[in-house]
Amino acid sequence: MKRSAFFLTALLVLGACDDAAPEDPIDDPNPPVADVALYPVERGDRWGYMDASGRLVVQPEYRSARAYENGYAVATNWEDGANYAYYLRADGSTAFRVQADEAYPFFEGRARVRADGRWGFIDSTGAYVINPYLNDARDFSDGRARVKTTSYRWGFIATSGDVVIPTEYEGLGDFHDARARFEAEGKWGYLAPDGSEAIAPQFDEARDFSDGRAAVRVGTQWGYIHASGQFVLQPQFIAAGDYAEGRAPVRTENAWEYVDEAGVRVIDPAYEDARAFSESRAAVMINGRWTFIRPNGSRIRSPDFDEVWDFMGGVARVRIEERTGYLDASGAYVWYPEQ
């Protein structure tokens, strides 16, 4: 995604709630909110971090900056002829740095980094706990990380670095809810954490598990299965997204809508695209532009954005053309999109 420069402004409430409804009885007044202390912001060609109120915490002095997750934000700089990744604490101070071409946040006590074209994992001191020998790697989830070792097929390692599921799969997803989707002879099934087939390959397409359910396609229609492989909603949708907070985006006709866990429509079809809920807000596209809706379907503001990111820590990143900003859950700017 192309990113652009923007400047810190005073906190603005610019009629952001033009689509706000009266107090929503369905909307949780205290939704679960991710523990996010820092958000990346850009000035010129340098990156720094703000907090959730829009206050600049880390001055823009880095070449790149990733979102804060699980206790650290990751920013990079070119120094002394090498690229370094800085792991920043919630107050913006540097915990440690590591020489790496790419570096990512921590998941389950391990952070993946790429050095000299190979991937490894470090601990919270910056020391390698899995040496960089992997051809590719993804973050740890459910105690497993999806990797390509010395081959070019996927398998899984444990946090110790031991290969626990051999690298023999061309199509493989990450573990979620103790299930990982895999492809075999053109059909998709799901693995258990020990590598056995929890659900035999039988689906034409499959998504990761989320909230105890996974969307799968049989022929031209999508339904949802339980971790046992039994259908909880029979195939009936043209397209289907992930469940979160008791709702899932689906298509039964041309427009996207939302259904509850029983498959009952709870938000009418009205969207060109729709994503899962996060912190009681879901991103939806209307007339080629993005906005966010509440669980009752009301919008927090008009569809103004070319791209949006999910809410994390009560704040969502948004983009208008080449300008990036942040909204709070009411739809008001905490960082105004301005070059």
Side-chain angles (χ1 to χ4, degrees):
M1 181 67 63
K2 187 176 181 180
R3 298 181 173 93
S4 61
F6 52 94
F7 292 95
L8 181 64
T9 66
L11 300 184
L12 299 175
V13 182
L14 303 176
C17 299
D18 56 353
D19 291 301
E23 186 67 24
D24 180 6
I26 300 175
D27 201 0
D28 184 352
N30 297 295
V33 175
D35 181 17
V36 181
L38 300 173
Y39 301 84
V41 294
E42 188 182 18
R43 280 183 174 174
D45 61 352
R46 291 289 168 172
W47 289 84
Y49 288 90
M50 71 170 201
D51 64 16
S53 73
R55 180 178 65 91
L56 193 63
V57 176
V58 178
Q59 291 297 320
E61 58 186 15
Y62 297 100
R63 295 179 64 203
S64 69
R66 295 192 186 278
Y68 179 98
E69 292 187 79
N70 300 321
Y72 298 94
V74 187
T76 65
N77 260 342
W78 183 262
E79 298 176 6
D80 301 324
N83 199 54
Y84 284 89
Y86 288 78
Y87 282 77
L88 307 179
R89 302 182 184 94
D91 62 2
S93 63
T94 299
F96 62 89
R97 73 172 190 171
V98 60
Q99 185 176 336
D101 301 316
E102 289 185 68
Y104 288 83
F106 279 89
F107 291 89
E108 301 186 2
R110 302 286 185 265
R112 60 187 171 109
V113 298
R114 183 173 64 87
D116 296 326
R118 299 287 180 168
W119 291 88
F121 289 84
I122 58 173
D123 65 15
S124 58
T125 69
Y128 278 103
V129 289
I130 300 172
N131 287 326
Y133 78 98
L134 302 163
N135 284 330
D136 206 345
R138 296 296 182 267
D139 298 319
F140 274 94
S141 176
D142 286 3
R144 302 284 186 265
R146 181 163 52 101
V147 300
K148 295 177 180 179
T149 54
T150 54
S151 73
Y152 289 90
R153 289 174 177 258
W154 293 101
F156 285 97
I157 59 172
T159 54
S160 64
D162 295 332
V163 175
V164 290
I165 297 177
T167 51
E168 59 186 29
Y169 297 95
E170 288 190 10
L172 188 64
D174 297 329
F175 271 99
H176 296 280
D177 296 341
R179 296 289 182 267
R181 58 192 174 92
F182 75 98
E183 184 181 18
E185 298 181 356
K187 296 292 185 179
W188 288 85
Y190 292 84
L191 297 177
D194 64 1
S196 62
E197 289 187 5
I199 303 171
Q202 57 193 283
F203 308 112
D204 295 304
E205 196 172 348
R207 296 178 62 87
D208 293 334
F209 270 85
S210 175
D211 275 11
R213 298 177 175 209
V216 296
R217 181 171 61 84
V218 178
T220 62
Q221 294 189 312
W222 289 81
Y224 290 89
I225 60 170
H226 183 266
S228 66
Q230 298 297 311
F231 276 100
V232 291
L233 290 178
Q234 292 293 325
Q236 58 192 284
F237 307 111
I238 297 172
D242 296 331
Y243 267 93
E245 302 179 9
R247 285 163 162 69
V250 298
R251 282 180 58 210
T252 53
E253 299 174 357
N254 289 329
W256 286 84
E257 61 187 90
Y258 287 82
V259 296
D260 66 13
E261 293 176 341
V264 176
R265 177 183 292 167
V266 290
I267 300 176
D268 288 338
Y271 312 112
E272 296 161 24
D273 202 351
R275 299 177 188 164
F277 273 88
S278 175
E279 299 183 3
S280 293
R281 300 291 182 265
V284 296
M285 179 183 282
I286 303 170
N287 296 325
R289 309 280 279 182
W290 289 91
T291 187
F292 293 93
I293 59 171
R294 303 177 179 88
N296 70 350
S298 64
R299 295 179 289 181
I300 68 171
R301 63 180 297 134
S302 58
D304 298 325
F305 306 108
D306 293 307
E307 181 59 285
V308 296
W309 288 255
D310 289 341
F311 271 87
M312 291 183 62
V315 174
R317 186 176 174 186
V318 298
R319 182 175 61 82
I320 302 174
E321 295 180 348
E322 302 302 315
R323 298 172 290 135
T324 305
Y326 286 89
L327 301 178
D328 66 16
S330 74
Y333 284 117
V334 295
W335 186 285
Y336 190 70
E338 181 177 338
Q339 278 186 320

